[in-house]
Amino acid sequence: MTKERKTVFLVMFGPPGAGKGTQSKMLVERFGLSQISTGDILREAVKQRTCLGQQAKTYMDRGALVPDEIVVGIIEDRLSAQDAGGGYIFDGFPRTVAQADSLSQVLSRMSREIDCVINIHVEDEELRKRLSGRRVCSRCGEEFNLFFKPPREDKFCGKCNGELTQRKDDQEETVKERLEVYKKQTEPLIEYYKTKNKLKTISGVGGIPEVFRKTCQILEDLAKR
Ligand code: AMP
């Protein structure tokens, strides 16, 4: 696939389990953007047991949001460290109105603004199944889902026979909490970006390629402006 360079600042928005990370990674491949996923950065920090990781873990394990100052700090670091040439996809950030305000201040210092917020809409029941059913191979990283892509053997990967694990925050009670937190703290951003005329809502069901086709279309339309 040919990579096309486009300078765009994009927010990949939606509830946990909507497919923001999957779509972002595909857009990186297709358009050569830099992905900044606060969830991935925080998980890596937890794994490495850094100071940031230790602070974040207590919030993440119970499905709560990590405090705004911490995640805004992460974004500022990344924006100053990474090449902005092709533009950025913010994946899982902002998640509160305060984070969105901070993002717009940080970007205005770079004489930039968010070009578009892609809101991936998925119903709650589907999200619950996607998250609580997710299992990841501890050896090769292959993902399974007990509802949609069940492993042939209960606890082992069909590809490499590694042990399947469940992310701590994918446990049923934590999933419930994450969805409630989304509704209370993050969903108001839909209105926030709608009034700024930045919001494009697409359905997140119907298969990954189908959703990707719609996200690509949005980016191609942006490039024509
Ligand atoms: P994710 O993989 O994006 O669902 O993120 C996993 C967890 O990381 C979330 O449940 C939060 O605890 C934390 N997190 C990720 N991004 C943010 C953010 N922008 N603001 C606050 N907490 C975040």
Side-chain angles (χ1 to χ4, degrees):
M1 202 181 332
T2 53
K3 289 187 181 174
E4 296 165 32
R5 266 328 241 191
K6 295 177 201 244
T7 306
V8 65
F9 279 57
L10 192 73
V11 171
M12 201 50 87
F13 187 85
K20 302 184 293 291
T22 304
Q23 293 296 320
S24 298
K25 287 185 177 75
M26 292 168 83
L27 287 176
V28 165
E29 193 52 40
R30 173 84 173 80
F31 295 103
L33 306 171
S34 298
Q35 177 193 12
I36 304 183
S37 159
T38 41
D40 285 352
I41 293 167
L42 290 167
R43 266 186 295 281
E44 187 56 29
V46 171
K47 207 165 126 196
Q48 303 293 336
R49 296 169 196 262
T50 64
C51 179
L52 167 67
Q54 279 163 15
Q55 277 179 294
K57 190 175 186 314
T58 51
Y59 299 96
M60 295 170 80
D61 281 352
R62 61 187 155 92
L65 293 185
V66 172
D68 290 337
E69 346 39 289
I70 296 181
V71 281
V72 170
I74 291 175
I75 294 293
E76 286 179 312
D77 281 355
R78 286 293 157 122
L79 285 173
S80 58
Q82 278 176 235
D83 161 39
Y88 291 103
I89 304 177
F90 298 98
D91 162 16
F93 178 91
R95 265 170 142 108
T96 63
V97 169
Q99 289 179 18
D101 284 338
S102 298
L103 178 61
S104 112
Q105 282 161 19
V106 173
L107 292 183
S108 80
R109 275 185 245 134
M110 301 163 64
S111 306
R112 290 301 313 236
E113 59 176 349
I114 289 298
D115 296 296
C116 182
V117 176
I118 301 182
N119 172 31
I120 308 179
H121 178 80
V122 178
E123 297 294 337
D124 277 5
E125 191 44 36
E126 167 89 8
L127 292 171
R128 229 169 263 133
K129 287 182 174 170
R130 285 187 187 184
L131 294 167
S132 63
R134 176 161 59 186
R135 298 292 182 275
V136 186
C137 173
S138 55
R139 197 183 290 166
C140 73
E142 180 79 1
E143 272 199 21
F144 295 87
N145 186 290
L146 302 186
F147 301 100
F148 306 118
K149 186 189 166 190
R152 248 178 279 143
E153 273 190 78
D154 217 23
K155 294 196 168 88
F156 296 98
C157 172
K159 256 174 118 183
C160 75
N161 218 28
E163 196 179 345
L164 298 182
T165 55
Q166 184 180 34
R167 254 169 68 171
K168 205 163 181 179
D169 61 352
D170 281 346
Q171 286 168 10
E172 209 160 325
E173 268 312 295
T174 318
V175 165
K176 205 167 147 233
E177 177 63 18
R178 286 166 72 195
L179 293 175
E180 272 168 22
V181 164
Y182 170 78
K183 287 237 171 335
K184 251 192 241 149
Q185 295 182 258
T186 308
E187 209 170 49
L189 285 176
I190 291 182
E191 215 40 52
Y192 177 99
Y193 283 118
K194 209 187 264 176
T195 53
K196 292 184 191 302
N197 231 357
K198 305 277 186 205
L199 196 82
K200 298 266 181 227
T201 298
I202 57 172
S203 164
V205 291
I208 293 169
E210 169 66 9
V211 180
F212 188 53
R213 199 186 51 71
K214 290 184 267 191
T215 55
C216 285
Q217 187 61 58
I218 291 173
L219 275 179
E220 273 149 23
D221 291 347
L222 270 180
K224 285 186 209 141
R225 289 198 319 208

